[in-house]
Amino acid sequence: MSAFKYSASLLSLFASLSTAMIFSAVVMYFVNANSKNDYMERAALLEKRFVENSQEEVKNEVERMIKRMDAIRENNMERKKSSVALKVSSAAEYVSLSLSRGGSYRSADFGRMISAFKGADDSDRFFIVAEDGKVIYHEEDKSFIGRNIMEILKGGSEMKAILSELRDSGGGFGSYMIQDNLSSSGGRKIGYVQKLKDSPLFIGSSFTVESAEEEAKERVKNSIRRERYGRDGVGYFWVNTMDFQAVVHPVTPELEGKNLKNMRSRDGQYIFQEIDKIVKSGGGFVEYFWPRPDTVIPERKMTYVTEYKPWGWVIGTGFYFSDLEKQLEEERQLIEKLVKADLEEVKRVISYLFIAVIISGILIYRMIRRLERKQEGHRNLLEQYKSILDKSSVVTITDEFGVMTYVNDKFCEISGYSRDELIGNRHNIIKHPTTPIENFKDLWGTITKGRVWKGVLRNRRKDGESFYISATIAPILNESGEVIEYIACANDITELVENRNRIEELFNSDSLTGLGSRVKLINDAEPIEYPVLAILDIRGFKQINEFFGNHFADRILIETAREFVACPALSGYSVYRLHSDKFGILADNADILVFKEKIASAMRRVGSILQERHGEDKMIYFTAGIAADKDNLLAYADMALNGAKKLKQDILVYSQADNRIIADFEENLEIIRKVSDALKNDRVTAYYQPIIDLKSGDSEKYECLMRIIDENGDVISPAKFLDISKKTNMYPRLTARVIEKSVAVFKNLPYQFSINLSVEDIFDRDTMDYLFTVAKNNGVLGRLVIEIVESQELVSIDETNRIFEKFKSGGAKISIDDFGAGFSNFDYLMNIRADYLKIDASIVKRVEEDESSREIIASIVSLARHSGMKTVAEFIFNETIAREITLLGVDYGQGYFYGKPEEKPVFISQPPVA
């Protein structure tokens, strides 16, 4: 009976395994079929996304190119106007000088006088008109001489009004046309006319608007021929006229100048007739066959086309569907490979199972038993993992409505609630009232969409105490993709958050002396109604450092700090070390004259103690400045200290300043007043100077430079107000205004822009957080360049890199300013991981005649290239320097030769200097 049962069990096991094998084969068949269906769905979605993304990209590229065409067109017109104005002014000066030497202008040889100012191609002809409108001289047409200009020009009355105005203004521009029956050149002209000095004559010259437009067109054509975009560089632009004439085709230049109206694609479509219909309806997309730049076989292509109305041009660019076909083929091959591997695996499994059944049911039974034991082991491990997770982390589970269905012991421990109090409740039971409601909106908005949320939450224990957790909350989905519950795993970071306060305390103390730092002094003085401050330094401390060494100098600083703290005269006052050998002594509501006497007594006492301790050859003297102004306490005390040094006095009180330094005080006060007034009335702004790509000649970047506008409308450079502002609480606000103005300007422009940051800015957490938030929220973080000034003071490389890492992860770049002038620590440079090196102006401006300057620049360029950095040369003020800098391989140029700082970014496009 037992044998029968044992055999029956084996047969049952065999039948089960056979059924399992058949079922597995059927399942794999359907897996294969479903995989093919998945491929078709994924392929359709892939094509839809590819077309949408590619359409958006090419449309954006066309719009970007049209903006560039507008900029080049406007820039070219302004250059033409500047050129004709300069030429007329030069000719006017020479003619006036010639007439002043005697003789009537009626007999003057104006042709000879003006010959030196003619253009190289005899364009822009000169004319001279008397005050009554009679033409005295006309280089273009001698038949005009003696006639009234009102009869020659269209709109004569308007010209009369212009000449009348020029009697007072001296010169100006005007637009006009010559009568049709008189014109030989035709077209509208723009002329510049200037009144001759001490003579009843006007001299002028002009150019046709048509000629200016033609020059701009040539520059645009050259720009389009160079332009490529896209991952493989196959993206390009082409231009036709509205009557089908090919203007520019970078890939097929042999088409240029030909009429493309009857050109057909591979499927017989009249390509450009279809394009014409779309352009006349306002622009859009058209599909046809055309060869890629890297092939000769026509491929399916979709192009965005629109009209550039100022010139009646049709401009377009497109994408090829062969890129999609590559992606689809890769997807198909991947799925086929996976399906084939799955089928092979099924065959092997079925074969092994059959062989195993045939050999022995016992082996199958034992194998199943081993698997069962192994699964039991896995379950045991999972239980241990769960136990460890429960002991180390806070774990909760809620249903889809946010009601807690499970909490572990750790959660009960950290929250102070029992399990019975928590289960059945929502997480609101531990919500801290100070946590912004936006945090929870973001949390629920994320997890209800099936995504994982990570973040830090401040909660409240049952006893009212706060605790902080770093949480990860994940939705659990059913087979239909619907959320059925949420699981949260968190770590208690309360101790970490509380320790942050201790770290901040470290910033408030001086590591050498143990005294409070400059930051602590500012914080301590803030709540005092009437603070009084003395700033002291050790006279000749630099010499002490040089003669006796750093170790002895540090010892003097430590002992000075100790003696000031122990000095009876300073009892009740707070002592700080500001930096180097400068100490601060702060009093609360003290009488300033009594305070001065106590400071003098302390200086004498500490100096005597140190001298007695270290010998007669090491005499220690102090100089002090005292101030009692709450708003500008440090600035005024520092002014008083500098005044005491100038007057060779031991102590100087700001309010009792000597007449000889009153001017310095008043000047600094006036600067502070102007800065404060500019901040109050929104007159802190930024000016923008172009940075030119020396290969293309186009302005691709701009530097944002701080300026303030005073009440008279005068622009004030930061050289006059920045240093004194850094000693007040206004400096961070100045930086914030420049950030705000610069981001607002470049939000709608396609250029990189750099903002200068000092050491104070970089280590000011509020400033850096504000810069990151504003740049990211306005979509310009990827085009931001942080330009480091005063880089020699960045003493903590690790901390500096930590600050910059967040910006660089968002696409921002780092630039080091004034490289090569006092800051040439290459090891430091490598560690800071900058993207740009800005060569100092003192080296660049000597490059014309100084061979050593050229060698320095060549070395900097070589270093930058090997380190993956780009170079920028500033202070380029003439063509010779521009040429030398280009030959030395510098990547970008900046200076008045290309463009001065302006209120708005001015696009520059000019031929590269050969």
Side-chain angles (χ1 to χ4, degrees):
M1 187 71 176
S2 61
F4 173 76
K5 287 183 179 179
Y6 185 73
S7 300
S9 64
L10 290 178
L11 290 173
S12 175
L13 178 61
F14 176 77
S16 298
L17 292 174
S18 299
T19 303
M21 287 188 294
I22 296 171
F23 178 74
S24 297
V26 172
V27 167
M28 291 311 300
Y29 170 79
F30 282 109
V31 166
N32 184 35
N34 287 335
S35 297
K36 293 180 180 179
N37 291 333
D38 286 344
Y39 167 72
M40 297 303 295
E41 292 176 2
R42 291 167 67 179
L45 180 61
L46 188 66
E47 180 173 2
K48 182 175 181 293
R49 290 178 178 173
F50 172 81
V51 172
E52 289 175 351
N53 294 338
S54 299
Q55 283 182 335
E56 182 179 5
E57 179 186 8
V58 298
K59 184 176 181 181
N60 288 340
E61 289 294 331
V62 169
E63 290 172 353
R64 177 181 65 83
M65 180 53 71
I66 285 177
K67 287 182 180 179
R68 177 176 289 186
M69 291 164 69
D70 285 336
I72 291 174
R73 183 166 170 255
E74 181 180 349
N75 175 267
N76 194 69
M77 184 64 72
E78 290 303 317
R79 288 203 311 168
K80 291 286 288 183
K81 289 174 71 174
S82 297
S83 175
V84 75
L86 177 62
K87 187 168 65 171
V88 169
S89 296
S90 300
E93 183 178 353
Y94 181 73
V95 172
S96 295
L97 180 63
S98 299
L99 293 176
S100 68
R101 293 174 179 170
S104 170
Y105 70 82
R106 302 181 187 281
S107 60
D109 186 356
F110 291 111
R112 179 187 59 78
M113 294 180 187
I114 296 173
S115 61
F117 302 96
K118 295 180 180 179
D121 56 355
D122 287 336
S123 61
D124 304 340
R125 309 296 178 84
F126 282 92
F127 56 87
I128 297 176
V129 182
E131 284 188 334
D132 59 1
K134 183 180 291 184
V135 178
I136 304 300
Y137 171 81
H138 201 289
E139 184 182 352
E140 182 177 3
D141 194 331
K142 300 295 189 293
S143 66
F144 292 168
I145 297 174
R147 301 184 62 177
N148 193 296
I149 195 169
M150 310 306 170
E151 301 172 357
I152 297 172
L153 304 182
K154 289 183 178 179
S157 59
E158 180 183 350
M159 178 57 69
K160 185 175 182 179
I162 292 172
L163 292 176
S164 178
E165 290 177 5
L166 292 180
R167 290 187 180 93
D168 300 322
S169 63
F173 285 97
S175 175
Y176 64 91
M177 291 183 69
I178 297 175
Q179 296 285 353
D180 295 337
N181 60 331
L182 300 176
S183 174
S184 59
S185 57
R188 179 161 292 279
K189 297 187 176 185
I190 294 178
Y192 181 81
V193 181
Q194 180 172 327
K195 189 176 184 304
L196 293 180
K197 184 178 180 182
D198 301 325
S199 178
L201 300 180
F202 297 91
I203 185 170
S205 184
S206 64
F207 63 90
T208 63
V209 174
E210 181 181 0
S211 67
E213 293 285 3
E214 288 303 319
E215 287 184 13
K217 287 179 182 178
E218 288 303 316
R219 294 178 65 194
V220 167
K221 290 179 189 177
N222 290 334
S223 179
I224 290 175
R225 290 188 179 103
R226 295 194 304 264
E227 187 73 18
R228 294 292 186 277
Y229 68 90
R231 183 179 62 184
D232 300 324
V234 298
Y236 65 90
F237 300 89
W238 55 262
V239 176
N240 293 346
T241 64
M242 290 294 288
D243 56 358
F244 306 102
Q245 198 79 9
V247 177
V248 180
H249 204 292
V251 175
T252 317
E254 58 268 20
L255 294 179
E256 294 179 8
K258 294 182 178 179
N259 191 297
L260 307 180
K261 180 176 182 179
N262 296 319
M263 176 174 280
R264 297 190 183 189
S265 65
R266 188 177 67 182
D267 58 355
Q269 177 188 15
Y270 287 99
I271 301 174
F272 293 97
Q273 292 184 30
E274 289 297 319
I275 289 173
D276 182 60
K277 294 177 184 176
I278 291 174
V279 171
K280 287 180 178 177
S281 65
F285 291 92
V286 61
E287 189 174 322
Y288 54 90
F289 287 88
W290 196 273
R292 285 170 61 101
D294 50 0
T295 65
V296 295
I297 300 173
E299 298 180 6
R300 184 183 172 199
K301 181 178 183 180
M302 181 174 287
T303 294
Y304 178 77
V305 293
T306 189
E307 181 186 1
Y308 183 61
K309 294 186 178 179
W311 292 340
W313 279 5
V314 176
I315 182 169
T317 187
F319 59 91
Y320 293 91
F321 282 84
S322 56
D323 293 331
L324 170 64
E325 292 165 3
K326 292 177 184 176
Q327 297 179 29
L328 293 175
E329 179 61 21
E330 291 172 358
E331 188 79 12
R332 186 188 63 76
Q333 291 179 0
L334 176 62
I335 290 180
E336 283 186 355
K337 183 178 180 181
L338 292 174
V339 171
K340 184 177 180 181
D342 288 343
L343 291 175
E344 290 296 324
E345 184 67 22
V346 168
K347 291 176 182 178
R348 283 196 297 271
V349 171
I350 292 174
S351 299
Y352 293 153
L353 288 174
F354 271 115
I355 294 172
V357 170
I358 293 171
I359 293 174
S360 175
I362 297 175
L363 294 179
I364 296 174
Y365 175 77
R366 289 180 178 177
M367 181 176 65
I368 292 174
R369 286 298 303 148
R370 284 198 298 271
L371 290 174
E372 289 176 347
R373 286 194 292 270
K374 192 174 183 180
Q375 289 174 348
E376 290 172 2
H378 286 164
R379 281 195 294 270
N380 182 44
L381 285 176
L382 287 174
E383 288 297 325
Q384 294 182 57
Y385 293 155
K386 179 179 178 295
S387 175
I388 293 171
L389 182 64
D390 276 340
K391 291 177 181 177
S392 62
S393 300
V394 174
V395 179
T396 65
I397 299 175
T398 67
D399 62 18
E400 69 269 32
F401 304 109
V403 176
M404 287 182 279
T405 58
Y406 170 82
V407 296
N408 70 344
D409 293 339
K410 196 77 174 176
F411 186 66
C412 295
E413 177 186 338
I414 192 175
S415 68
Y417 289 95
S418 68
R419 185 173 278 101
D420 291 338
E421 290 174 308
L422 292 170
I423 292 178
N425 266 313
R426 297 176 182 270
H427 275 274
N428 288 344
I429 193 173
I430 60 168
K431 177 181 175 294
H432 199 282
T434 62
T435 303
I437 191 65
E438 289 75 14
N439 289 15
F440 294 102
K441 288 182 178 179
D442 174 60
L443 187 157
W444 280 102
T446 300
I447 62 177
T448 54
K449 293 177 181 177
R451 300 198 300 265
V452 175
W453 182 88
K454 294 181 180 181
V456 174
L457 293 172
R458 183 183 185 186
N459 296 316
R460 183 167 61 180
R461 291 170 48 85
K462 185 177 181 180
D463 60 11
E465 292 293 323
S466 296
F467 68 95
Y468 297 84
I469 58 172
S470 175
T472 299
I473 304 176
I476 305 300
L477 311 177
N478 62 15
E479 62 276 6
S480 301
E482 300 169 336
V483 176
I484 57 174
E485 62 182 7
Y486 302 99
I487 183 168
C489 181
N491 293 311
D492 182 6
I493 60 169
T494 305
E495 183 178 357
L496 180 65
V497 173
E498 291 174 348
N499 281 344
R500 185 173 64 186
N501 296 330
R502 179 175 174 274
I503 294 171
E504 290 179 354
E505 289 178 5
L506 295 176
F507 285 101
N508 288 327
S509 64
D510 175 53
S511 60
L512 179 65
T513 64
L515 296 178
S517 66
R518 180 177 181 272
V519 174
K520 182 166 176 54
L521 168 60
I522 294 172
N523 292 335
D524 290 350
E526 180 64 29
I528 299 176
E529 182 180 357
Y530 183 72
V532 183
L533 174 66
I535 296 180
L536 303 83
D537 70 359
I538 300 173
R539 202 176 303 165
F541 183 74
K542 182 179 179 182
Q543 287 72 26
I544 293 174
N545 206 344
E546 291 174 350
F547 293 158
F548 301 108
N550 293 335
H551 180 73
F552 179 76
D554 287 347
R555 183 178 173 186
I556 291 296
L557 293 174
I558 294 169
E559 293 181 6
T560 298
R562 186 183 304 136
E563 296 302 333
F564 274 141
V565 172
C567 181
L570 302 182
S571 177
Y573 302 155
S574 300
V575 183
Y576 308 84
R577 182 188 175 210
L578 306 185
H579 63 84
S580 186
D581 63 327
K582 282 192 176 182
F583 294 85
I585 298 174
L586 178 66
D588 184 349
N589 296 316
D591 181 280
I592 197 165
L593 296 179
V594 174
F595 183 73
K596 176 183 177 183
E597 291 301 321
K598 290 188 176 184
I599 295 297
S601 173
M603 289 163 55
R604 290 192 296 272
R605 183 177 189 277
V606 174
S608 298
I609 291 173
L610 295 178
Q611 182 180 339
E612 181 179 349
R613 185 176 296 163
H614 296 291
E616 293 292 333
D617 61 331
K618 300 180 180 65
M619 299 176 67
I620 305 297
Y621 298 101
F622 298 94
T623 305
I626 298 175
D629 185 278
K630 181 175 177 60
D631 293 332
N632 301 287
L633 188 64
L634 266 74
Y636 289 170
D638 196 51
M639 291 180 195
L641 176 63
N642 292 332
K645 291 178 180 179
K646 288 183 180 180
L647 300 176
K648 301 189 184 303
Q649 295 181 8
D650 291 339
I651 302 179
L652 185 65
V653 178
Y654 172 77
S655 60
Q656 300 172 344
D658 189 279
N659 288 335
R660 287 169 291 175
I661 63 166
I662 280 290
D664 289 343
F665 285 147
E666 291 180 347
E667 182 181 354
N668 288 334
L669 278 172
E670 179 63 14
I671 290 172
I672 291 172
R673 186 196 65 77
K674 286 187 175 184
V675 173
S676 176
D677 186 64
L679 283 167
K680 187 181 301 182
N681 295 289
D682 194 23
R683 292 201 303 271
V684 178
T685 187
Y687 272 42
Y688 309 96
Q689 187 171 28
I691 300 174
I692 306 298
D693 185 328
L694 296 180
K695 291 182 180 178
S696 69
D698 293 343
S699 53
E700 296 184 354
K701 313 173 190 299
Y702 293 83
E703 181 177 2
C704 307
L705 302 166
M706 184 187 296
R707 298 287 188 272
I708 65 172
I709 314 298
D710 68 13
E711 58 269 28
N712 299 319
D714 295 329
V715 181
I716 302 177
S717 167
K720 294 184 178 180
F721 64 83
L722 208 55
D723 286 342
I724 189 67
S725 296
K726 288 182 180 179
K727 297 174 182 177
T728 71
N729 59 3
M730 294 184 290
Y731 177 69
R733 294 162 61 196
L734 290 172
T735 303
R737 290 289 175 85
V738 172
I739 292 170
E740 175 189 345
K741 297 292 178 69
S742 301
V743 169
V745 167
F746 286 95
K747 178 181 179 180
N748 299 313
L749 294 174
Y751 309 115
Q752 271 192 352
F753 63 103
S754 62
I755 294 179
N756 296 314
L757 296 183
S758 66
V759 175
E760 289 90 346
D761 295 320
I762 293 170
F763 289 101
D764 186 319
R765 186 167 61 185
D766 291 338
T767 296
M768 299 306 284
D769 287 347
Y770 178 69
L771 173 59
F772 182 84
T773 301
V774 170
K776 183 178 180 182
N777 290 347
N778 286 276
V780 300
L781 186 59
R783 293 186 279 113
L784 171 66
V785 179
I786 297 176
E787 192 161 312
I788 309 172
V789 298
E790 305 170 8
S791 45
Q792 66 275 14
E793 297 183 22
L794 292 175
V795 293
S796 174
I797 296 174
D798 292 339
E799 178 66 12
T800 302
N801 279 332
R802 186 193 66 76
I803 293 170
F804 288 157
E805 191 58 41
K806 180 169 72 170
F807 286 86
K808 297 181 79 170
S809 66
K813 306 293 184 185
I814 307 299
S815 175
I816 295 179
D817 195 15
D818 298 335
F819 186 76
F823 176 60
S824 300
N825 186 331
F826 294 123
D827 181 60
Y828 188 97
L829 176 66
M830 294 302 100
N831 287 325
I832 207 68
R833 300 194 294 274
D835 301 283
Y836 299 101
L837 283 184
K838 204 162 192 181
I839 304 169
D840 186 67
S842 63
I843 302 172
V844 176
K845 67 184 179 181
R846 299 198 308 267
V847 76
E848 291 180 272
E849 67 281 342
D850 185 4
E851 180 62 31
S852 63
S853 294
R854 289 193 285 272
E855 292 177 358
I856 291 172
I857 293 174
S859 299
I860 293 174
V861 169
S862 176
L863 168 71
R865 285 179 177 170
H866 283 87
S867 306
M869 292 180 283
K870 298 288 187 179
T871 48
V872 183
E874 55 185 349
F875 209 75
I876 299 176
F877 58 85
N878 62 36
E879 185 174 354
T880 305
I881 294 179
R883 184 178 295 107
E884 290 289 347
I885 289 297
T886 303
L887 291 174
L888 288 168
V890 177
D891 299 297
Y892 299 96
Q894 180 180 357
Y896 273 40
F897 175 69
Y898 298 109
K900 63 181 181 179
E902 300 282 0
E903 293 181 73
K904 296 181 180 179
V906 177
F907 177 75
I908 304 295
S909 179
Q910 60 184 41
V913 176

